[in-house]
Amino acid sequence: MILMRGADAPSRAPRTLWTFNSKEDISQYTTGSDMDIGGNSTVNLDLDENPKHNAKIGRKATGVFWGEMRLDVRPGFEHKMRGGYAGFRNKNRPTVFGDLMDDASLHEYLALRLRLGGDPRTRNSYYVNIQVDSAFNTDLWQHRLYFRRQDSEWEDIFIPFKNFVRTDYGQMSEKQLKMVRERVKTIGISMLGGNSGVAGKYELGIDSIRLVNEEDVTHEPLIPTSESLEDLVCLICSN
């Protein structure tokens, strides 16, 4: 006798999308900064094997996103561009059937384990960016990163997907469409010093990016009651 069973119910269990614990992990990301188009900001995403940074979370290595945020531009680019951005995101994942996507539709929160360092002036200028596969390939959903800790220790940051803001070509879109969470293409983090006129050396440790639900959230997300349009401007290229 053959027993026919239905498909397993979709899982709401926490799911790790990306880790930053080996050279192989780090090779899955691409970086960019305003230096690519005439600016002077630098960007690096490296493997940090310093036990002082990693022992408390039981890791031998984690990622570190670092560089120097600069607002000036190279000669010939004055009045043509605004300096002050750097970022990274996962690389596209092509297959014979098209790019590989992640389905985040069964989870309510994006969770990031991060360690804040660098010049204190730069610490309020980090943003997390999500690109989905849609008819509008210039769309990027964005949310500012708010930290509780300022002591270079690790913390888990939880961001409700419903709070991400749709941007297009670096501007907040007038029409706020629902994010197609079934087809997440890339996730990344940017340092946007140009938004607030902030320059200096930045450093952000990163261990993992996960999908979780409310029952997995260990503390209330830090979400301001309002954000200015300027704070929500996205300067990092989405392609």
Side-chain angles (χ1 to χ4, degrees), residues 32-227:
S33 77
D34 58 44
M35 185 175 285
D36 300 328
I37 55 172
N40 288 303
S41 297
T42 61
V43 60
N44 304 272
L45 182 64
D46 294 327
L47 192 67
D48 180 5
E49 299 179 284
N50 186 341
K52 180 180 177 181
H53 292 160
N54 302 317
K56 289 186 178 180
I57 59 171
R59 303 292 195 194
K60 292 184 178 180
T62 53
V64 57
F65 168 52
W66 65 279
E68 184 176 6
M69 182 58 40
R70 293 180 57 172
L71 305 180
D72 59 315
V73 299
R74 298 199 295 272
F77 290 92
E78 300 91 345
H79 310 297
K80 296 180 180 178
M81 62 160 292
R82 182 171 71 165
Y85 73 87
F88 73 89
R89 62 166 176 81
N90 64 275
K91 295 177 181 177
N92 293 335
R93 296 164 286 172
T95 72
V96 293
F97 303 105
D99 286 340
L100 186 65
M101 309 287 172
D102 291 304
D103 186 352
S105 62
L106 296 177
H107 296 83
E108 302 166 21
Y109 292 81
L110 187 71
L112 306 95
R113 179 163 290 179
L114 304 173
R115 178 184 58 80
L116 187 61
D119 190 322
R121 293 176 298 175
T122 67
R123 294 181 177 183
N124 292 321
S125 299
Y126 290 101
Y127 291 74
V128 59
N129 311 296
I130 298 177
Q131 185 183 27
V132 300
D133 185 44
S134 71
F136 306 99
N137 59 15
T138 58
D139 283 356
L140 203 65
W141 272 261
Q142 186 177 64
H143 196 287
R144 190 171 178 175
L145 284 170
Y146 294 95
F147 297 87
R148 283 183 164 83
R149 306 192 67 153
Q150 299 287 326
D151 57 0
S152 296
E153 297 292 344
W154 293 95
E155 65 176 297
D156 291 318
I157 295 177
F158 302 96
I159 307 174
F161 281 109
K162 66 181 182 181
N163 288 355
F164 277 81
V165 172
R166 178 184 176 232
T167 66
D168 179 47
Y169 282 115
Q171 301 294 325
M172 190 171 77
S173 301
E174 293 184 7
K175 187 174 183 180
Q176 288 298 308
L177 302 177
K178 183 179 180 181
M179 185 193 301
V180 183
R181 287 171 26 215
E182 292 85 356
R183 298 183 62 80
V184 175
K185 189 173 183 179
T186 69
I187 299 177
I189 293 176
S190 55
M191 156 61 63
L192 302 182
N195 279 11
S196 51
V198 169
K201 294 183 178 180
Y202 64 92
E203 178 185 318
L204 184 69
I206 178 164
D207 174 59
S208 62
I209 299 175
R210 298 174 294 134
L211 302 175
V212 302
N213 281 303
E214 188 170 1
E215 59 267 27
D216 311 304
V217 174
T218 56
H219 53 74
E220 287 295 318
L222 286 177
I223 301 172
T225 56
S226 64
E227 292 181 300

